[in-house]
Amino acid sequence: MRADRSWTIDGGRAQLERSGEAVRITTDLALLSGGQGVATLEANYESRLGDVAATFGASIEGIAAGDIATLAPPFAWLDVLRAPISGSVRAGVNADGALAPLNATLTIGAGVIQPTEATRPVPFSSARSYFNYDPQEGVLTFDELSVQSEWITGQIEGQTVLGLTPDGQLNDLVGQFRSSTLTANPDDLYDAPVSFEAAEMDFRLTLNPFRLDVGQALFQDQGQNVLAHGVLEASPEGWSYALDAQMDRVTPERLLALWPQQAVPKTRRWLVDNLLGGSLSNLDAVLKDAPGTPLTAYVSFDYDDAHVRYAKTLPPITGARGTASLLDNRFVVTVDAG
């Protein structure tokens, strides 16, 4: 009734055992959820007659992520997934009737991230999560949230605070995640995936409509830090995003490794052919994209001690120092010395 959902049970059983004042209820049943396989649920409940306090648990196999997401706010974030989930949950009720801390272990099968029907699905091969929820503090703690995907692979941990409405529905999640390993190659942008040594992210996530605001993201990359912030939205027409990133210093080789070949390809090719070494600093990059609008890209950086070819018929400038910027398909390189 709370979730305004219905499920069909195809076969099952429940058993009640009483020993003195102790009562134990166990059940197992099969669910018809529209998938090809049969989803199963096993649950148990233990208490004493006359007591409010109780413990309960459940084991699930092959249940759709959307079905689990409706059960309680700590699981609502699963609603953006289209995938089967197996695992176990353990919780209880205290003597005062308050919910005790909840612990969950979930294994997520192959599926996609797709908040709306209009958004392009982001595939993943598997995911796994170990988390606990403190209902008194409203804090969801992830001991592990790992994802295996051609788009992104990593293992993160962190905490989120659940923002609940007066009637107990989830409004948003605000938290911080960190990762010791992160590899990305979204939509096959790169010939080989790009890896970062570590990453941290402060974020706010709302689910209806889906919007991820990243207040700050810090990536450790080959001894340098990449600082970024941005937003990702699932609009009625599809995905839209805005990203702003800064980096204190980077080599031309690493800049080109992070710069996808399909993004402003002519400018990228000019850099490959004409920026022949040196050091880049004060890098700033902005990317914006939305359905029905062209990609907006802005890149600027300073360079020093560089070899720059400014004319095909003349030798390159050595020991060059200057600036470069890209905006609205106009790329400008200024050489101040060399």
Side-chain angles (χ1 to χ4, degrees), residues 97-147:
L99 186 67
L102 178 149
N103 295 278
T105 300
L106 302 179
T107 300
I108 305 170
V112 297
I113 300 173
Q114 190 177 21
T116 69
E117 293 298 328
T119 51
R120 182 183 178 187
V122 177
F124 61 89
S125 55
S126 66
R128 184 174 64 249
S129 177
Y130 304 107
F131 65 87
N132 63 79
Y133 176 64
D134 183 342
Q136 309 308 317
E137 300 293 332
V139 175
L140 192 62
T141 301
F142 289 87
D143 297 316
E144 178 186 342
L145 178 58
S146 60
V147 178

Side-chain angles (χ1 to χ4, degrees), residues 198-221:
E200 295 184 4
M201 180 176 71
D202 302 324
F203 67 91
R204 176 178 183 263
L205 174 65
T206 58
L207 298 175
N208 189 24
F210 180 91
R211 179 185 172 100
L212 175 64
D213 288 281
V214 179
Q216 176 175 286
L218 178 64
F219 302 90
Q220 296 181 8
D221 180 58

Side-chain angles (χ1 to χ4, degrees), residues 226-290:
V226 182
L227 190 62
H229 64 271
V231 60
L232 174 67
E233 292 184 274
S235 68
E237 295 78 24
W239 291 109
S240 63
Y241 66 87
L243 173 68
D244 190 338
Q246 296 83 38
M247 198 171 188
D248 289 339
R249 188 165 290 273
V250 64
T251 64
E253 294 79 11
R254 187 56 177 169
L255 172 62
L256 294 172
L258 296 174
W259 188 325
Q261 293 190 14
Q262 299 94 319
V264 199
K266 292 183 179 180
T267 300
R268 188 183 185 281
R269 171 49 55 185
W270 190 95
L271 290 172
V272 170
D273 294 339
N274 298 285
L275 187 58
L276 307 177
S279 178
L280 311 183
S281 59
N282 300 323
L283 175 69
D284 191 7
V286 177
L287 292 175
K288 295 182 179 180
D289 196 12

Side-chain angles (χ1 to χ4, degrees), residues 3-45:
D4 193 25
R5 294 283 297 273
S6 62
W7 288 266
T8 300
I9 300 172
D10 182 26
R13 60 184 178 179
Q15 181 173 326
L16 183 147
E17 299 177 6
R18 175 179 174 181
S19 176
E21 298 299 303
V23 175
R24 175 179 173 84
I25 302 173
T26 59
T27 184
D28 61 86
L29 49 89
L31 297 177
L32 299 182
S33 58
Q36 296 181 353
V38 176
T40 61
L41 167 69
E42 297 180 6
N44 61 77
Y45 170 93

Side-chain angles (χ1 to χ4, degrees), residues 147 152-156 178-184 195-199:
V147 178
I152 187 169
T153 296
Q155 180 174 314
I156 65 177
R178 52 193 172 273
S179 173
S180 57
T181 58
L182 188 65
T183 301
S195 297
F196 298 96
E197 289 84 9

